[in-house]
Amino acid sequence: MRREEGKEYLYITLHTELPYQYSAGRYMSRFLTTLRDEAKILASRCTQCGTVLVPPRVVCGNCFAEMKDFVEVGPRGTLKTFSVINFPFIDPFTGVQRPVPYGYAIVQLDGCDNWLPHFLDEIDVQKLRIGLRVEAVFKPREEREGAMTDILHFRVIGDRSRESSPEGEVS
Amino acid sequence: MPKSVAIIGSGQTNHTSRRADVNIPELIKEAVDRALADADLTIDDIDAVVIGNMEHFEGINLSDMWASEGSGAVMKPAMKIATGGTTGASVAACAYYHCASGLFDRVLAIGWEKLSESDTTTGIITAFDPIVERLTLAGAVGGLAIEANLYMTSYGITQEQVAKAAVMARKNAQRNPHAHLKLDLTVEQVLHSPMIAYPIHYLDMCPTSDGACAVIFASEDVARKSAHPPAWVKAAVCRHNHPYIGDVDWRKNTLESAAIEAYRLAGITNPRRELDVIELYDPASFALLSWIESLHICGPGEGGKMIDAGAITMEGDIPVNPSGGVISTNPIGATALIRVAEAALQIQGKADARQVEGVRTALATGFGGSYWSEVFILGRTP
Ligand SMILES: [Zn+2]
């Protein structure tokens, strides 16, 4: 008697294991190997308008000119905006829930014109503020593998005025 | 020169969290049947079909192929458009281009989604750069949270002002039979709902919906003979963006750029006075304040004052989202097309309980990708 129309609706579970290999390309490969081997962050500079962008890429979106120069940026920078992610969702990298809460930092690295997203080590929004100075924290050399995760996270180093070293100062 | 084009009919499903009773072609057919009935046409009158959704959100590809019975595309020219959140607006733009070219007389635009069939946040993450951005991106919620924080901090917009917009939208949705969330809320309820991603509360954010929308575009000669008053397309403008979230220049945003060009095309010099209603793609409630600034309805940072003064409510001088908007209804591939359909209904005087009096000019937007935008302006005359 369960075949009456409108009484029972089925779902078919699709579980598709389809591994991909994504080519990092020339610029991103250099970016990632430099992160791994030297713990340095590379950006590209536009030959036409001078814009410095991280991650480095072959062409400048503003003027469609080739970006030929690589420059080192960071590891310090300024927190341009942020969030603290609290809600649960499946991480496509792992297939299981991404650990929450975590700090989501949007950082303008010193010497760079655009911003870079990464993890933030602080999750108390009362202690966070746009404009804080932050610094990339790298994994130890033996654990780095040529991935964005070679940077563990950004840590808050305080206000610009109280920064210990002048190296990270930008105009 | 493009030929004049109008919308002569539209149809929507009654959007909800889960439509277990229909599969994808069955869902699409509901919206198509309603659009054809609305325009007094049959599928034989349709010259071409444009369809779109968020690819792989339902774990499937080439739905334009195997859903072609539901869309009515068999033995017709058909194409699929996928531009993320803007998909529905891109579908509409493509149907407009088809008719404006003079090559087609009646084009059916379809947007659909069944977000209940997978994890939306996960799907959105996989749309972004796999090396740099997927690591930390928390889907649309995370991407909007950083924009909301930047906007609210820059201009001193309060959580209360943003929550007022969330309350207004869900109140408007109560007048719309197609809306998903028809909630009777208070500001306190919004502020006390969980903080899913600072500064966005659970009740500030759009839902995930199952639903479809279909809109029929017609060339000038056909539209003039239509049984119902048409809604003429005065402008359809798209602006894409840099690839990475960190590349976005917040001072030169795509919505403002598209709006400026759309106003030029439609001959609008004072949008606050000349527009009668706006259907804004508002994925989170702060957008109702921030993005009307991008549309030059008010000055930078004045969105909070607009909601405090009631200017964008149904009773205000420039009602925004009589339909309840995206934070009330969000079947993503259909969402931006619903904005266009709702704006057309306002022009046609067919918006029933959510009708704004005497609408002559309406604006609709789409939002998606790395903060890119589309803007439509519709009017009573070509
Ligand atoms: Zn350049």
Side-chain angles (χ1 to χ4, degrees):
Chain A
M1 288 301 102
R2 301 198 55 196
R3 292 186 187 168
E4 229 180 308
E5 204 279 323
K7 296 290 182 216
E8 188 184 21
Y9 300 113
L10 302 183
Y11 279 90
I12 311 302
T13 299
L14 304 177
H15 196 90
T16 311
E17 292 276 352
L18 182 56
Y20 295 91
Q21 289 220 299
Y22 178 85
S23 55
R26 287 183 289 151
Y27 282 51
M28 192 68 91
S29 293
R30 185 163 164 188
F31 171 77
L32 294 173
T33 54
T34 306
L35 267 189
R36 180 190 65 198
D37 301 337
E38 302 172 46
K40 288 179 178 168
I41 304 169
L42 285 186
S44 54
R45 179 162 49 209
C46 178
T47 47
Q48 194 164 308
C49 70
T51 298
V52 175
L53 300 175
V54 68
R57 71 286 307 266
V58 69
V59 63
C60 168
N62 287 322
C63 38
F64 204 61
E66 196 169 339
M67 303 190 90
K68 289 184 179 160
D69 304 325
F70 284 83
V71 291
E72 188 187 338
V73 292
R76 289 188 173 178
T78 303
L79 191 63
K80 301 304 283 192
T81 182
F82 64 88
S83 182
V84 174
I85 309 299
N86 285 318
F87 72 105
F89 60 91
I90 303 295
D91 189 330
F93 278 120
T94 60
V96 298
Q97 189 184 310
R98 185 177 292 173
V100 288
Y102 68 88
Y104 182 32
I106 306 293
V107 177
Q108 183 169 24
L109 292 165
D110 294 343
C112 216
D113 289 303
N114 69 338
W115 306 347
L116 184 73
H118 214 291
F119 292 114
L120 188 59
D121 73 339
E122 179 60 67
I123 57 165
D124 181 354
V125 294
Q126 301 304 323
K127 294 181 182 162
L128 290 170
R129 201 174 64 256
I130 289 173
L132 284 176
R133 296 287 291 161
V134 294
E135 178 177 57
V137 177
F138 288 86
K139 281 181 179 169
R141 173 67 189 90
E142 62 276 13
E143 289 175 28
R144 295 201 298 265
E145 52 187 0
M148 276 309 284
T149 46
D150 290 352
I151 299 172
L152 268 176
H153 54 244
F154 279 78
R155 72 179 182 92
V156 176
I157 54 175
D159 290 314
R160 178 182 296 269
S161 56
R162 286 189 276 120
E163 202 166 338
S164 53
S165 151
E167 286 167 33
E169 292 293 330
V170 285
S171 55
Chain B
M1 275 296 286
K3 299 192 181 312
S4 291
V5 174
I7 290 168
I8 58 168
S10 65
Q12 297 177 47
T13 56
N14 290 349
H15 316 296
T16 187
S17 58
R18 191 174 183 86
R19 284 293 304 273
D21 59 315
V22 288
N23 67 11
I24 291 163
E26 289 165 352
L27 179 81
I28 292 168
K29 186 169 186 300
E30 279 186 19
V32 171
D33 280 343
R34 289 179 180 183
L36 291 170
D38 185 49
D40 285 325
L41 297 175
T42 72
I43 197 68
D44 295 336
D45 298 315
I46 299 297
D47 301 327
V49 175
V50 187
I51 188 167
N53 73 305
M54 293 287 284
E55 292 162 313
H56 72 239
F57 269 36
E58 291 78 9
I60 49 103
N61 285 302
L62 278 185
S63 59
D64 48 323
M65 175 184 71
W66 53 265
S68 63
E69 290 167 342
S71 70
V74 173
M75 294 308 280
K76 293 187 196 300
M79 65 167 71
K80 179 176 179 175
I81 305 277
T83 62
T86 43
T87 290
S90 302
V91 164
C94 186
Y96 165 69
Y97 303 153
H98 274 60
C99 291
S101 73
L103 292 170
F104 298 91
D105 278 333
R106 293 184 200 86
V107 178
L108 177 60
I110 305 166
W112 66 273
E113 209 74 67
K114 289 196 82 179
L115 287 178
S116 67
E117 301 195 350
S118 188
D119 186 311
T120 302
T121 294
T122 310
I124 288 175
I125 294 168
T126 60
F128 284 78
D129 166 74
I131 294 174
V132 174
E133 297 200 311
R134 289 188 198 177
L135 179 68
T136 48
L137 184 66
V141 183
L144 291 160
I146 55 172
E147 180 179 351
N149 189 3
L150 186 59
Y151 169 67
M152 293 167 68
T153 303
S154 298
Y155 295 115
I157 302 292
T158 66
Q159 299 268 3
E160 286 75 13
Q161 287 171 319
V162 171
K164 276 187 200 174
V167 172
M168 178 199 82
R170 274 53 171 269
K171 186 179 171 199
N172 289 354
Q174 293 172 37
R175 305 174 186 224
N176 177 4
H178 303 290
H180 174 179
L181 298 179
K182 304 179 183 83
L183 302 173
D184 197 11
L185 293 176
T186 64
V187 166
E188 287 67 34
Q189 281 174 301
V190 177
L191 294 176
H192 289 129
S193 65
M195 184 68 87
I196 55 174
Y198 177 84
I200 295 181
H201 295 88
Y202 179 72
L203 287 171
D204 285 316
M205 195 64 203
C206 60
T208 56
S209 314
D210 286 1
C213 179
V215 177
I216 299 168
F217 288 76
S219 61
E220 181 169 1
D221 293 347
V222 170
R224 285 195 189 282
K225 291 178 203 143
S226 171
H228 304 286
W232 295 93
V233 180
K234 316 273 278 186
V237 180
C238 170
R239 290 286 183 271
H240 265 44
N241 213 341
H242 297 276
Y244 295 101
I245 287 171
D247 293 0
V248 171
D249 184 343
W250 300 99
R251 295 158 302 179
K252 281 195 301 191
N253 76 58
T254 58
L255 182 58
E256 181 176 36
S257 174
I260 289 169
E261 174 65 3
Y263 294 148
R264 189 188 69 77
L265 290 168
I268 289 174
T269 54
N270 184 336
R272 172 108 183 238
R273 205 171 61 221
E274 293 173 65
L275 295 176
D276 300 307
V277 65
I278 293 171
E279 273 291 334
L280 183 81
Y281 195 118
D282 59 331
S285 49
F286 82 93
L288 281 160
L289 311 183
S290 175
W291 296 359
I292 59 171
E293 297 173 14
S294 303
L295 294 176
H296 293 184
I297 300 303
C298 59
E302 293 178 356
K305 273 191 266 177
M306 290 288 284
I307 191 76
D308 287 341
I312 61 173
T313 64
M314 285 299 278
E315 297 75 31
D317 69 282
I318 178 76
V320 178
N321 292 357
S323 66
V326 183
I327 67 167
S328 302
T329 306
N330 185 35
I332 298 183
T335 298
L337 186 60
I338 294 170
R339 308 278 72 71
V340 176
E342 289 287 335
L345 289 172
Q346 292 287 344
I347 296 285
Q348 294 175 295
K350 296 204 289 190
D352 299 327
R354 60 193 186 284
Q355 180 71 47
V356 175
E357 284 293 311
V359 173
R360 301 195 64 81
T361 310
L363 182 144
T365 77
F367 161 83
S370 52
Y371 309 89
W372 64 46
S373 303
E374 303 207 23
V375 170
F376 276 76
I377 296 174
L378 306 179
R380 278 200 198 172
T381 53

